[in-house]
Amino acid sequence: MIGEVVQLWEGREMELKRLSISWQFLIVLVLILQSLSALDFDPYRVLGVSRTASQADIKKAYKKLAREWHPDKNKDPGAEDKFIQISKAYEILSNEEKRTNYDHYGDAGENQGYQQQREYRFRHFHENFYFDESFFHFPFNSERRDSIDEKYLLHFSHYVNEVVPDSFKKPYLIKITSDWCFSCIHIEPIWKEVVQELEGLGVGIGVVHAGYERRLAHHLGAHSTPSILGIINGKISFFHNAVVHENLRQFVESLLPGNLVEKVTNKNYVRFLSGWQQENKPHALLFGQTPAAPLLYKLTAFAYKDYVSFGYVYVGLRGVEEMTRQYNVNIYAPTMLIFKEHINKPADAIQARGLKKQVIEDFITQNKYLLASRLTSQKLFHELCPVKRSHRQRKYCVVLLTAEANKLSKPFDAFLSFALANTQDTVRFVHVYSSRQQEFASTLLPDIEAFQGKSGVSILERRNTAGRVVFKTLEDPWTGSESDKFVLLGYLDQLRKDPAFLSSEAVLPDLTDELAPVFLLRWLYSVSDYLSDFWESLLHSNWREMMPLLSLIFSALFILFGTVIVQAFSDSNEERESHPPDKEEVPEKAGKTEPSFTKESSSKIPKKGFVEVTELTDVTYTSNLVRLRPGHMNVVLILSNSTKTSLLQKFALEVYTFTGSSSLHFSFLTLDKHREWLEYLLEFAQDAAPIPNQYDKHFMERDYTGYVLALNGHKKYFCLFKPLKTVDEETVGSCDLDSSRGKPPCGLGPKPLKGKLSKLSLWMERLLEGSLQRFYIPSWPELD
């Protein structure tokens, strides 16, 4: 019995193994078939282009094949499948990101993440009781989500090239989502409801999958999912409240500028409508039954802010009855009025129970410009007077060149009435202030002196965007009389019959932008936007988003305080160097002089705490000068017996910081013993003080104490340092004569002697730089 059970158990185990092997074989077979199907599709082969083909070649090949295999034109049974392959191939190759992914990985990248998840599920299926996540029907994967998100999926190139430029006309609401996101599933119903409402009002919608579009998610600053953000004027703002319908609606409304729609009452409506002359725009008024302007109206105002000024009138406000009676407004239905040059009567009006987005946009589009707009910029000139595209699309502009005035003048009023009576679609009426656009006006007026202080009318047609026009100017100034109107009407009739009537040609200069804000205002606006962004980031952003800004701030503070501290220490060192101690002792032991302090400006740190100065005599002359090694120099101080102690002490202080250089040697020469040797050398020094003749009676009166010679024994040249002449020396004259005979100088103390070498350290720096003048000699004289 036990044996039968064992055999039965072994049989079942074998069946399970066979079943497991069958499943493994089936899974491998499916994966192989999928790989073969993926490899079988080659977009380059489908379009018949090479892998190095340009976008122009790809587009050209696609158009040719699409025309050939379109199912409506090609009756072949496989035409539809072929056309689908052509479209798919062009979709991959026309997108640089998808093309790069295909070239590198053999896949366009759209299903790459999903394919990896499927492979993981197959392994999970085999290793964990033959179950995978599809058994539980969890809607975590994007493939099982509602298709509403797929309609609004954004890619990086699409965001940069389309969404950001379009955000200057309408705000965008973007959701950041990902797979395996529980919160994303929770907000899905609310998101659907908000999208259906806001999209109908004109708000742009976008969805970014953080798993597949990591670059775009990082660019937007979204580090978690789900995240909701708004974009307007290229600026990103994050939503930080609870995800409910009303909060999202208020968030979109908060993105819009606060001055888009002006509240108009019976007290300010005249001022509001009279602003057309200064703003050069029509003015729109919406009469509504709610205290605040509807979101649809605000979105329309944002889209057309460059063309129309918008105002809102709450009909429930006291005192509005005067306006409603004057303009015959029905307060029980939303009414929209457009005012142009005449504020007493609207130029156009619409009234309906439910004003839709398309109705409002069509109404505004038909009334974007005044009857006779003022040309204030080159952009407006292009829109009002477009370039001729074909013979049937000729557009003529009747330009009034007039002086600037606060009130309507008679010439302009007559020109405006003429424009109002015009019924031709090919003619547009505009005016220009001659004082603000002087070059433009002088080009169109034939005789500028004859039109000085007067108005003129020209009819022109633009031929290209470079400014070339053909025109005809009325011969007489425009006064607005009936005769002037008849002349202008006759010109337009002749132009309608014969386009060659415009006989004059010219190249118009670009118009100056009269309404552009000055630099200071633009700078203030930029600073205000930056401060508001910083404050919002400080309140809501996490530390990861704030780290770059905080790093920049602390780096700037560190550099600032570091500079201040270094400057303070350098100032203290300079003060200590400029006030050395008065009492200094220079012990002369074995010809060595020790200074009382060191300078920190030396290029090399001194190796000893003293300066070794040897006397230049006939014994040391050959080794210290004549046979000095190449590249070495001997710095020799000239002194006398009476000035030896003071000058050596000051010399040691000045040259101590340079003792770290092994190529410099320091010596002193006694003037009482070797005056002739010194004067022989100085004869080769150009621009030196004149050397007295030895037979001159003042031969021994010349004072060379404090002179310093830098001698290069190998190359046979020297550099000369001449001390500054102090005030005490000038007063005592030639009293050094006594000092040469062994008596103390009559008026020189220790301080004037030390002052002779006050600039020696600077001279030493120039010596090391090699910028001092060199005096060459034929040979070194003997030192007797």
Side-chain angles (χ1 to χ4, degrees), residues 21-48:
I21 294 173
S22 300
W23 274 107
Q24 293 179 10
F25 177 75
L26 181 61
I27 292 169
V28 172
L29 182 61
V30 170
L31 290 175
I32 291 174
L33 290 176
Q34 286 185 346
S35 301
L36 289 175
S37 63
L39 292 173
D40 184 59
F41 178 76
D42 184 0
Y44 293 101
R45 182 173 55 80
V46 172
L47 293 182

Side-chain angles (χ1 to χ4, degrees), residues 756-773:
K756 287 186 174 184
L757 303 178
S758 60
K759 301 293 184 180
L760 181 60
S761 60
L762 299 177
W763 182 82
M764 289 291 297
E765 291 180 1
R766 294 184 60 192
L767 174 67
L768 295 179
E769 293 173 359
S771 59
L772 291 176
Q773 185 178 4

